Each structure stands twice: as C-alpha cells, then as structure tokens.
Amino acid sequence: MKTNTSYYKDIVSLLKGLKTVTPLSSDFHIHKFSDTPNTWIKETSIFRSNTYSIILLTKGEAKYKIGLSEYHITSGSLYFQAPQHLRYYNRLSDWEGYVIVFMDPFFENHPTLKQLVTQFEGFKIISNVVIPLEAGLLSETEAMFEHLYRISYSNSVMRFEKAKALLELILLQSKEHYQRLYQNQNTSKQHRIVKQFEQIVEEHLYQLTHGDIERQLSISEIAERININATYLGEVLKKVTGKTPKEILSDRIILEARSLLNNTDMAINEVAYLLQFQDPSNFTKFFKLKTGISPSKYRK
C-alpha cells in the first residue's frame, strides 16, 4: 500500500497544527516565539512534518524527542529538525527565540544552500541535533536570526532571495559549531554499533510509513547490515541501552503507530497494514501489550 504519511505535509499545515502563526510563504517562514498567540500548543503528540526547522532558543526549557533520542533543551540552544525526524516536544517554560521553517522548493535552485542542507549533520536521521551556544556565540547567532527576521518581513521585492543568503550564512556557522562540538568525538566500538542500529531502525520506519518497503526487518537482517551477528548485537545493545534489539524496535514501531493514530484519519486496519502487520488483530494485541490500551481507545 503506497501512502504518504508525512502528517504535516507543508508549512501551512504544520503551523496550523501547532496553533501558531500564518506562514510567510508556502516554502519558507520565520517567526519569533513572542509572535505566537496564547493558543500555541504546550505539548504535542508525536508527529512528522515534511519541513526542515532551525530553532534558536534564547530563553526557556523543553523536553524534546526526535526519533529514538531524547533531549533536554535549555536557554542558549540551537537545534534542528528534518522531514525524516519523528518529533515530540513538551514546553516546560515560556520560550523566547526564533523558528525558521522551510521546504525543499526553497533551496532547490540554490546549489550552495541545497548542498548545505542535504549534507548538514544536524538534519541527518540519527545525529546530535542540538548545539549549545555559549554567551558570545549566542549573541552573534541571535543577531543573524534577527537580521533574517527583519528582512523576511520587509517590503523588499528581493526579501526571499536575501533570506536564502542569510540562511546559508546561518547554516555555515552552524556547521562550524557542529564540527567543533561533535566531529572529533571518540566513540567506542559498542556505541558506534548502537548508532548504526538506531540509524537502520529510523531509516526502516521512515521507508515503512511511506509505503516504500513491504515488510518489517528482522533483528538478524539488521545485524547483518552492521556486519555482526545477532547475538553480539543483542549483548551490545543490552549493555549500552539496557534494552534488547527487539524491545528498541518494538518501542519505535509503537511511536510510529501512536503518531499515525494521533495525526491521520487512517483506519486502524490501515495503520496495521502500513506497519506491515499481516493481521490487524495482531497489531491490536501488540499495541495493547506495549501501551496497556487498545488502538481504538488510544485514538479516542
């Protein structure tokens, strides 16, 4: 079954779903948190969006879940989201800062910007997505976001072309900060195996929910892709994460199921088939075992 499950398919539906502001255009938008109305959602359900986001949090605190990773984001954080990311946030205190949202068409005819977006590690499906900024860097970065904000809301006929240039500058600086923080991290062999496992699982779920593949991967197949045996994979994951490969994969499937039930009109049996359960009753049993509630009751 071929279906598109990017639950917020564009900027308009994303900002409407989060109850924020009207977008500047169909493929690019920026606003300050102070621009958003009081209806803005404090805590989301799990969701996907066909958009890229860059958020500068100058004040506030949040709990974020992006794919299999959880983040505690605090003041002075720059963080990133991409279409492949399954997302959730809980705003723990009032936020100040900026949100940039854009889509593929915005950079499609801008080769340098396109290369920066497609190659930037912060937009990868498994990566550290948060850059903590010390005071000096925060001030410099905030000035760049403010410049982009003012240009975007100006009357200039070239405002979106200028916005592309400023976004390119922001991404260049972000790339520099990212490499300084993460490029030279020495991770153990076991942690590399965990990251490889998570990468494969995230890519697999993304393909699964977009109808690009027709069955769930087995743990043995995942181990084979990492070039290790399934027993050793299980030992490593249990030691590093405290969970077995099956538990991690099951948890991730449940996240996807919850997102589909929350954010689409798909019937429960359609969700089951999309996630490659051959029998919807098996999906219901699996969901209830993991969550303590049936899919139908969860949706209500």
Side-chain angles (χ1 to χ4, degrees):
M1 177 175 59
K2 184 74 174 178
T3 186
N4 185 349
T5 57
S6 294
Y7 317 139
Y8 292 128
K9 64 181 180 178
D10 51 31
I11 293 175
V12 174
S13 61
L14 173 66
L15 297 184
K16 183 179 179 180
L18 298 181
K19 298 184 179 180
T20 58
V21 296
T22 303
L24 281 167
S25 75
S26 61
D27 55 20
F28 172 79
H29 174 75
I30 180 173
H31 69 259
K32 295 181 182 180
F33 287 117
S34 57
D35 295 335
T36 59
N38 294 329
T39 54
W40 182 43
I41 291 178
K42 178 181 181 293
E43 181 176 7
T44 68
S45 59
I46 300 161
F47 67 94
R48 283 196 188 278
S49 171
N50 253 353
T51 59
Y52 295 86
S53 299
I54 306 174
I55 300 100
L56 178 65
L57 192 65
T58 59
K59 183 179 178 181
E61 185 181 8
K63 181 171 71 173
Y64 249 94
K65 188 173 183 69
I66 297 177
L68 288 164
S69 301
E70 294 187 1
Y71 300 90
H72 181 203
I73 298 175
T74 56
S75 302
S77 295
L78 184 63
Y79 56 103
F80 307 87
Q81 299 164 346
Q84 296 86 352
H85 288 146
L86 193 67
R87 318 173 192 179
Y88 155 89
Y89 73 76
N90 182 6
R91 184 162 45 106
L92 302 176
S93 64
D94 288 342
W95 291 351
E96 292 182 13
Y98 302 79
V99 181
I100 300 170
V101 189
F102 57 96
M103 298 183 66
D104 289 343
F106 187 65
F107 56 77
E108 198 58 46
N109 296 319
H110 196 296
T112 307
L113 181 56
K114 181 177 181 178
Q115 184 178 32
L116 276 169
V117 172
T118 55
Q119 294 183 2
F120 179 56
E121 284 298 320
F123 287 138
K124 300 297 184 185
I125 200 164
I126 284 290
S127 60
N128 291 299
V129 301
V130 181
I131 299 176
L133 300 174
E134 57 198 41
L137 287 176
L138 176 60
S139 178
E140 180 183 349
T141 305
E142 186 175 5
M144 294 168 65
F145 274 72
E146 178 64 21
H147 191 185
L148 175 56
Y149 178 83
R150 291 182 179 277
I151 286 292
S152 300
Y153 285 90
S154 72
N155 294 323
S156 171
V157 294
M158 298 291 290
R159 59 180 179 150
F160 290 130
E161 290 306 309
K162 293 176 182 178
K164 290 175 186 177
L166 289 167
L167 181 58
E168 183 179 328
L169 183 60
I170 287 170
L171 280 170
L172 280 170
Q173 188 184 57
S174 299
K175 180 179 179 181
E176 182 179 37
H177 297 335
Y178 194 96
Q179 289 176 342
R180 176 177 54 83
L181 282 171
Y182 301 122
Q183 192 90 335
N184 297 319
Q185 281 186 341
N186 294 316
T187 56
S188 68
K189 178 183 177 181
Q190 291 186 341
H191 281 84
R192 286 197 298 272
I193 288 172
V194 172
K195 280 295 181 186
Q196 285 177 284
F197 178 82
E198 291 177 347
Q199 174 85 20
I200 292 168
V201 168
E202 286 294 330
E203 289 174 349
H204 174 60
L205 265 295
Y206 184 71
Q207 292 173 328
L208 202 65
T209 56
H210 281 69
D212 296 333
I213 52 178
E214 296 182 351
R215 66 180 182 86
Q216 291 183 16
L217 276 178
S218 69
I219 301 302
S220 295
E221 288 173 316
I222 296 175
E224 187 176 338
R225 291 190 184 186
I226 305 174
N227 295 316
I228 59 176
N229 65 58
T231 301
Y232 181 59
L233 174 63
E235 292 172 354
V236 169
L237 288 174
K238 187 68 175 178
K239 180 179 179 181
V240 175
T241 70
K243 293 184 177 182
T244 66
K246 185 178 179 180
E247 287 171 335
I248 294 173
L249 183 56
S250 295
D251 288 348
R252 188 59 187 76
I253 291 170
I254 286 294
L255 276 180
E256 206 71 53
R258 287 169 57 193
S259 185
L260 287 161
L261 292 169
N262 277 325
N263 301 303
T264 75
D265 295 326
M266 295 174 69
I268 291 170
N269 65 326
E270 290 180 300
V271 173
Y273 290 132
L274 183 65
L275 295 175
Q276 298 305 312
F277 287 84
Q278 299 307 311
D279 186 336
S281 65
N282 290 337
F283 168 68
T284 297
K285 290 175 185 176
F286 171 77
F287 191 92
K288 191 169 184 178
L289 178 66
K290 296 295 292 184
T291 66
I293 191 172
S294 69
S296 58
K297 286 185 178 179
Y298 177 82
R299 172 167 269 173
K300 290 177 182 177

